[in-house]
Amino acid sequence: MTEEASDFDLVHKFVGGDETSFNKIVLRYQQKIYWHARRMTGNHLDADEIVQEVLMVLYEKLKDFKFQSSLYTWIYRITATRSINYLRRRNLRQIFSFEEKGGRLIKSKEDIVSNIESKEKLEKLESVLKKIPPKQREVFLLRNFEELSYEEISEITGKSVGGLKANYFHALKKIMELMKEDEI
Amino acid sequence: MKSEDRIILYLDNQMNEAERASFEKELESSPQLKTELENYRKFLNKIDDAKDIVADEEYFVEMIPKFHGRLQLKQRIKFMPKLAFGMTTVAAVLVILFFALNKGTNKTVVQNKAAVQTTNYPGSSDLNILSDQYNLGALTPAEIAYSNSVLDSLLYKELNLSPQNLSDYTFGNTQDLNSIVQGLNQKEADEIYNQLLHKKIF
């Protein structure tokens, strides 16, 4: 049985009333959802909120899912959209001074990364990612971390392949500049 | 095209075969371009390092129970509109009952008012207006006596008199003012009060 067939099976079982199938779907994709949200927002609390939003959407909309794309693509589409929308809301809150710029200040105990080496790597990445526009960041993450093709990213984001290539180009260029500056 | 732009296109596999072959040939002859490419690779490897982050597994274990907790809460909140509808209906019934009962009371007041105002004569309209405005029909005898005393005091004040010195004033027919006031019938007294009310209140 292929992974997609398994997804198909789990979705059908869930639609048929089997709640545990939903849990199995979540277990399969929770890491991907979390890490995309985490890299997009740059902190754990925001990522956790997005994860919960995404799971809620999955739970409510899964019965309408017709497998016109793979479940994986569909989940990424929801995660990517929710992350961008969350960042928009966060920017608005920052404009009206409800929140510190750059997201919430979180205590280390609120983070799920406690290993010092991992923490350093992640902080370095997040400090670079937050300096590039969300749309470019999104493409960079999907291309670089999820290793998706432009066609797959296009299916997720609804953007043209040409536009995505341009976004990735600018994102990578900016990241390289920032990393060079960091080296100096 | 700048060399850094070509490097990005090369690393992202965005060059066609001819462009790629040309770029690789240039790399062999240009140590500077080669160093630049290596630097880019080094940076990309650093980014790739962030793929292997060690995270607290407990968070992922708790993710599903946390979601189900939220889901239950949401479902309970979803139920709230029904509760709100029920409460609104009860409130509406209570309001209707209140007005229905109050309407019955008003009828009694109107009846009382009709009993008090047995006469209707020119000039009595202002008293009726005042009566309507202040629900005079619902007054107790003590309250009516009090309002009469207030009207009396208005009359005395208007005439710059006091009950004590009323007898000091005499008129041509030798009647003093006290006896004139006492001699007024209800209709005459009401007309005077109406004029006073017009002047002082309306």
Side-chain angles (χ1 to χ4, degrees), chain B residues 115-143:
Chain B
V116 169
Q117 293 169 2
T118 48
T119 52
N120 197 14
Y121 42 81
S124 65
S125 57
D126 291 330
L127 274 176
N128 289 339
I129 291 166
L130 196 68
S131 175
D132 285 336
Q133 278 181 355
Y134 296 97
N135 204 8
L136 296 179
L139 294 178
T140 62
E143 286 167 333

Side-chain angles (χ1 to χ4, degrees), chain A residues 57-87:
Chain A
V57 175
L58 283 183
Y59 189 86
E60 288 171 348
K61 305 279 180 191
L62 210 49
K63 60 179 182 300
D64 302 322
F65 182 61
K66 305 289 180 214
F67 277 95
Q68 284 167 341
S69 65
S70 68
L71 183 66
Y72 169 80
T73 306
W74 186 63
I75 289 174
Y76 257 113
R77 194 182 304 148
I78 295 167
T79 309
T81 311
R82 292 275 150 175
S83 300
I84 292 281
N85 287 346
Y86 188 88
L87 288 172

Side-chain angles (χ1 to χ4, degrees), chain B residues 3 7 23-39:
Chain B
S3 61
I7 289 170
F23 183 76
E24 282 172 351
K25 201 174 176 184
E26 200 180 330
L27 274 176
E28 286 169 13
S29 59
S30 169
Q32 197 190 337
L33 185 65
K34 201 172 180 179
T35 310
E36 213 174 334
L37 175 69
E38 287 313 310
N39 280 337

Side-chain angles (χ1 to χ4, degrees), chain B:
Chain B
M1 193 185 280
K2 284 183 189 173
S3 61
E4 60 172 357
D5 294 351
R6 288 164 69 214
I7 289 170
I8 291 171
L9 293 175
Y10 178 74
L11 290 173
D12 192 31
N13 293 322
Q14 293 306 311
M15 285 180 167
N16 59 35
E17 270 185 42
E19 286 168 336
R20 196 169 185 83
S22 161
F23 183 76
E24 282 172 351
K25 201 174 176 184
E26 200 180 330
L27 274 176
E28 286 169 13
S29 59
S30 169
Q32 197 190 337
L33 185 65
K34 201 172 180 179
T35 310
E36 213 174 334
L37 175 69
E38 287 313 310
N39 280 337
Y40 267 75
R41 280 203 170 119
K42 193 175 81 182
F43 292 142
L44 278 176
N45 285 340
K46 272 190 180 178
I47 291 169
D48 283 351
D49 277 353
K51 286 178 183 172
D52 309 316
I53 300 290
V54 181
D56 183 2
E57 275 303 310
E58 207 182 319
Y59 168 72
F60 294 100
V61 172
E62 287 169 3
M63 192 183 275
I64 294 172
K66 186 178 175 180
F67 165 71
H68 283 289
R70 278 197 179 198
L71 185 67
Q72 278 181 355
L73 187 72
K74 197 179 176 187
Q75 282 166 347
R76 253 182 266 153
I77 293 168
K78 255 187 178 176
F79 182 68
M80 290 295 275
K82 289 177 186 170
L83 184 69
F85 176 74
M87 287 176 76
T88 311
T89 310
V90 170
V93 169
L94 286 173
V95 168
I96 291 165
L97 278 173
F98 173 78
F99 279 109
L101 290 171
N102 209 26
K103 206 175 175 185
T105 316
N106 283 342
K107 270 183 185 169
T108 315
V109 170
V110 170
Q111 282 163 4
N112 288 345
K113 198 159 62 179
V116 169
Q117 293 169 2
T118 48
T119 52
N120 197 14
Y121 42 81
S124 65
S125 57
D126 291 330
L127 274 176
N128 289 339
I129 291 166
L130 196 68
S131 175
D132 285 336
Q133 278 181 355
Y134 296 97
N135 204 8
L136 296 179
L139 294 178
T140 62
E143 286 167 333
I144 291 169
Y146 171 74
S147 65
N148 282 339
S149 72
V150 171
L151 286 171
D152 284 341
S153 69
L154 274 173
L155 174 65
Y156 292 137
K157 201 175 169 189
E158 182 61 20
L159 296 172
N160 202 16
L161 296 173
S162 70
Q164 290 74 30
N165 65 10
L166 263 180
S167 55
D168 295 343
Y169 290 85
T170 54
F171 294 85
N173 57 3
T174 69
Q175 273 189 301
D176 64 38
L177 193 58
N178 206 15
S179 57
I180 291 171
V181 170
Q182 282 173 357
L184 291 171
N185 63 30
Q186 188 62 44
K187 187 182 168 185
E188 288 166 330
D190 282 349
E191 276 176 7
I192 293 168
Y193 288 143
N194 275 328
Q195 282 177 23
L196 279 169
L197 287 172
H198 255 288
K199 196 170 178 182
K200 294 286 182 186
I201 298 169
F202 295 114

